[in-house]
Amino acid sequence: MSRDATAGVLERLGAVELGVWQVPLGLLAVAVLLRPVVSHDLMLGYPQVATSFLIWMIIVASFNLLMGYTGLISFGHAMFMGIGTYSVAIALSSFAVPFLVAAPLGILLSAGVAYLVGRLIAHKGEIYFAMLTLAFAKSAHFVANYNPGGLTGGTTGLADGTMPAWIETSRGFTYVALGGFRIDWYWAVAAVFVVGMLLLWQLVRSPFGRTLVAVRENEALARAMGVDVRRYKVWAFTFAAAFAALGGVLLEINNQGATLSELSIVTSGNIIIMAVLGGANYFFGPLAGVFVWMFVEEYLADFHTLVLPLTEVPLARIELAGVLVYWQFFLGLLFVVAVLVSPREGILGLLKTVLGRLSARIRGESE
Amino acid sequence: MSDDADPRSAALGTEGLSKHFGGIVAVDEVDLAVESGELRAIIGPNGAGKTTLFNVVTHALAPTSGSVYLDGEDVTDVPQERRPHLGLARSFQSNELFAELSVLENVRVIAQTAADGTFSFSLLGDGRAVRADEARDILARVGLSEHAETEAKNLSHGDQRRLGIAMAIATEPSVLLLDEPTSGMGPGESRETVELVQSLQDDLGLTVLMIEHDMEIVLSVSDRITVLNRGSVLATGTPDEIQGDDDVQDAYLGGVREEL
């Protein structure tokens, strides 16, 4: 393709006015394309993990409602996800409550805890708020570990009797069996993903969400201009917890139970890193962050030998398995670079800048 | 000389208003009675407590003692975020902005707040469309229409000062506190800004309190002037009265003249 033609295509792409449909279509595209892309031979080559990708995208996006849109940094977000996971696991294993009853209750419980915690700490300064979320998350982990009344299963977590009857598994795949027919678990999650993310998107574009952004930008100014900053923060915290718990209840089925890692500080830390890595400034940033993080985790864990050159006749074979098991180290390095370059832009911001420059250059040279 | 009027019947009044920081008295027993529609200049040397007075009047800082009245109502204990909804707005000495948002969005989100109150579960619809027309009107008033889509942090200093005034106007105030609206501006731009303040005052029927350093501006536009020195009111009066006041000459104007 000539330069002129390329520029023409880029211009036409830019001229497509998606407007308000941009985000809904983008979410739909992610839900539909993620599994085929991930399971392609050049990518991972197997589809099972795609479901986890979607669930974690909901969880990290819920965190970004706090970090990206309200300017609140919580070090304990996994707690609100874990409350969802454990609520469902306990309800199923100990009380035989149906999943479809337990899941909304788990989400409400998580939101309720967040509301109370938020009322206590939302007005504290950034550092103190972060430390207090850490403290609450740590105590939730302690309680689950202590196994009160045998409900939480302590260090082993909950596995027995934690699956609803309508979930079937065979040969590594999970299905939702409804009446006579069954659908793939991925598509059930994809439906929840699209609906949940649309709700979250409406939240950030609403008048309420725009006020959150004003609070993020300049809290003192917002207060001076008539905004009850504390109440907005409390409700942002509450909504974020509800969406995290939505991811958490899906995780319960996906992981076949609840484990302590769902409440751990390390998980909270990973959530922060994924959000920053993807780009906290963007609604799709957390999605990009989850994709990169989890893809690298899966890909590098299976990557043993680098064959050079990448052709039929290899000249050199480099054994990398011993190095690449430390995939988190490499992602950590990438995280450090992302924060140093621009803490709120992440991979998505970088991509946008590069594409913008590219199209400007092509256009400029074709004039 | 002092305010003869009763602070409890003024548009904005204070009675014995004080602010102490530990042993330091920043605002000392200040009585003010600003009449409706008045343009009151607050002058005084650096450290006289002018900005602290604004902070205490708006409850950005809680007063140590004394009372604040708005239209005859005691608002001393009303929290800061409630006050714009009672008609008391302010601009800041430094350029306080929602830096990464567009100029239009800076004003619009405040206009939305003015309509919705201190908190509202407005979860439906597109936030950017709420009160956008009103925000555009305000931008036109202060001459920022062409910068509506510019990120606020990329405005020139003077335009950022004007945006500060636009944001205060968006709260739909009856009493407007302006903290050095012309700071950092050249003489021409200062004059324009003061004319803007005067036209806003006339059109919207505002009561204005303005901290200002430029004596030429102060003497030409103020209805009355309050001189602060070391936290307390040294004198209040018309420009003529203030110019003729010996205490003021000694403490403030004289000092300036000697420097010149």
Side-chain angles (χ1 to χ4, degrees):
Chain A
M1 205 191 294
S2 73
R3 279 229 171 88
D4 281 18
T6 315
V9 168
L10 280 173
E11 252 157 57
R12 252 174 284 142
L13 280 177
V16 178
E17 228 6 284
L18 291 174
V20 76
W21 293 103
Q22 203 175 334
V23 170
L25 288 175
L27 291 172
L28 215 56
V30 170
V32 171
L33 294 177
L34 186 68
R35 187 149 85 159
V37 167
V38 162
S39 51
H40 192 275
D41 280 348
L42 288 175
M43 299 293 273
L44 292 179
Y46 47 91
Q48 288 90 335
V49 289
T51 319
S52 309
F53 279 44
L54 284 186
I55 296 172
W56 281 100
M57 283 175 180
I58 298 173
I59 293 161
V60 179
S62 78
F63 170 74
N64 204 40
L65 176 64
L66 297 179
M67 184 181 154
Y69 289 92
T70 319
L72 282 173
I73 311 276
S74 162
F75 281 138
H77 202 58
M79 168 169 94
F80 298 110
M81 171 197 99
I83 288 176
T85 312
Y86 267 91
S87 296
V88 171
I90 292 168
L92 279 142
S93 64
S94 296
F95 303 102
V97 176
F99 177 85
L100 290 177
V101 175
L105 287 178
I107 292 168
L108 274 179
L109 178 65
S110 180
V113 171
Y115 179 80
L116 293 176
V117 171
R119 282 292 294 264
L120 268 175
I121 70 173
H123 59 292
K124 302 286 183 193
E126 211 167 312
I127 298 285
Y128 301 101
F129 177 82
M131 291 304 118
L132 285 163
T133 54
L134 190 64
F136 275 106
K138 202 76 186 136
S139 43
H141 184 267
F142 174 82
V143 170
N145 192 22
Y146 188 71
N147 196 12
L151 285 175
T152 61
T155 40
T156 49
L158 293 167
D160 291 340
T162 56
M163 297 299 271
W166 39 267
I167 289 287
E168 294 174 1
T169 51
S170 67
R171 277 180 274 142
F173 284 91
T174 307
Y175 298 93
V176 178
L178 290 168
F181 64 104
R182 60 185 203 176
I183 56 165
D184 197 300
W185 169 238
Y186 176 83
W187 295 111
V189 171
V192 175
F193 167 84
V194 171
V195 172
M197 291 295 290
L198 279 176
L199 287 174
L200 189 60
W201 173 64
Q202 174 54 37
L203 188 67
V204 301
R205 74 190 280 271
S206 71
F208 175 89
R210 297 308 300 168
T211 309
L212 296 185
V213 172
V215 169
R216 174 196 81 195
E217 285 294 303
N218 192 334
E219 192 178 324
L221 177 64
R223 190 177 294 114
M225 293 294 160
V227 174
D228 190 338
V229 169
R230 182 175 178 178
R231 269 181 93 186
Y232 276 97
K233 282 182 171 178
V234 169
W235 280 102
F237 200 60
T238 306
F239 282 124
F243 282 100
L246 175 66
V249 301
L250 293 175
L251 218 51
E252 199 268 347
I253 289 182
N254 209 59
N255 298 353
Q256 304 184 3
T259 61
L260 266 184
S261 81
E262 267 103 52
L263 287 171
S264 91
I265 300 299
V266 175
T267 306
S268 291
N270 289 351
I271 291 171
I272 299 177
I273 292 174
M274 284 189 263
V276 173
L277 201 58
N281 258 357
Y282 303 98
F283 186 73
F284 282 91
L287 280 58
V290 170
F291 184 85
V292 170
W293 175 274
M294 297 190 71
F295 180 78
V296 169
E297 173 177 9
E298 293 285 334
Y299 191 79
L300 292 188
D302 283 354
F303 200 107
H304 298 303
T305 312
L306 179 66
V307 181
L308 288 173
L310 298 163
T311 55
E312 295 289 316
V313 195
L315 296 175
R317 301 170 76 90
I318 305 167
E319 294 299 325
L320 288 174
V323 179
L324 292 177
V325 290
Y326 302 107
W327 60 277
Q328 282 180 322
F329 172 78
F330 296 103
L331 272 184
L333 271 186
L334 191 59
F335 174 76
V336 170
V337 171
V339 171
L340 286 178
V341 172
S342 180
R344 302 186 58 84
E345 289 295 316
I347 290 167
L348 219 54
L350 186 72
L351 218 61
K352 250 184 141 173
T353 315
V354 169
L355 285 178
R357 279 196 197 146
L358 208 64
S359 83
R361 173 166 296 185
I362 292 169
R363 234 174 274 164
E365 286 182 6
S366 67
E367 261 167 20
Chain B
M1 272 179 302
S2 69
D3 276 313
D4 298 322
D6 179 2
R8 295 177 196 220
S9 61
L12 177 73
T14 68
E15 217 170 39
L17 195 64
S18 297
K19 179 66 190 175
H20 300 184
F21 296 106
I24 297 162
V25 181
V27 175
D28 190 9
E29 300 278 326
V30 167
D31 296 328
L32 284 178
V34 186
E35 298 293 331
S36 180
E38 189 180 334
L39 197 162
R40 171 76 60 100
I42 311 283
I43 66 171
N46 285 334
K50 305 183 293 292
T51 296
T52 308
L53 176 65
F54 272 19
N55 284 337
V56 178
V57 167
T58 56
H59 211 276
L61 298 170
T64 308
S65 60
S67 307
V68 178
Y69 301 93
L70 201 59
D71 266 329
E73 223 165 298
D74 188 339
V75 296
T76 311
D77 297 320
V78 174
Q80 187 192 7
E81 65 267 16
R82 287 282 316 140
R83 301 202 179 200
H85 301 282
L86 298 175
L88 179 66
R90 75 174 293 184
S91 75
F92 291 87
Q93 188 175 15
S94 55
N95 288 334
E96 294 292 334
L97 308 161
F98 302 124
E100 308 247 328
L101 304 186
S102 73
V103 168
L104 176 67
E105 190 64 4
N106 267 261
V107 176
R108 191 206 61 74
V109 79
I110 293 167
Q112 175 196 313
T113 302
D116 279 359
T118 52
F119 179 83
S120 168
F121 273 120
S122 310
L123 297 172
L124 301 176
D126 180 5
R128 288 172 196 269
V130 175
R131 305 264 294 172
D133 292 339
E134 286 85 347
R136 281 183 205 283
D137 287 348
I138 292 170
L139 289 185
R141 274 205 124 95
V142 303
L144 285 174
S145 291
E146 58 174 313
H147 298 301
E149 301 307 324
T150 311
E151 270 185 45
K153 66 178 179 190
N154 293 331
L155 285 179
S156 69
H157 171 79
D159 283 342
Q160 290 190 349
R161 302 296 300 151
R162 266 186 286 282
L163 178 55
I165 295 173
M167 293 165 98
I169 292 297
T171 68
E172 300 171 353
S174 56
V175 177
L176 180 59
L177 311 184
L178 299 173
D179 197 342
E180 293 192 47
T182 68
S183 79
M185 292 180 178
E189 206 179 6
S190 294
R191 178 48 64 184
E192 276 173 35
T193 303
V194 170
E195 279 165 9
L196 169 66
V197 170
Q198 285 180 304
S199 81
L200 287 171
Q201 181 177 30
D202 290 343
D203 295 348
L204 305 173
L206 300 175
T207 305
V208 176
L209 263 79
M210 183 167 78
I211 297 173
E212 180 56 61
H213 277 302
D214 186 327
M215 285 312 294
E216 205 182 314
I217 288 175
V218 166
L219 293 172
S220 65
V221 304
S222 312
D223 295 310
R224 307 184 81 192
I225 299 169
T226 292
V227 186
L228 282 186
N229 193 29
R230 297 178 188 209
S232 57
V233 175
L234 192 66
T236 291
T238 63
D240 285 344
E241 288 169 335
I242 292 301
Q243 274 182 295
D245 188 289
D246 288 341
D247 287 346
V248 176
Q249 289 295 343
D250 285 348
Y252 187 54
L253 296 177
V256 172
R257 255 173 232 165
E258 275 162 29
E259 275 172 31
L260 290 173

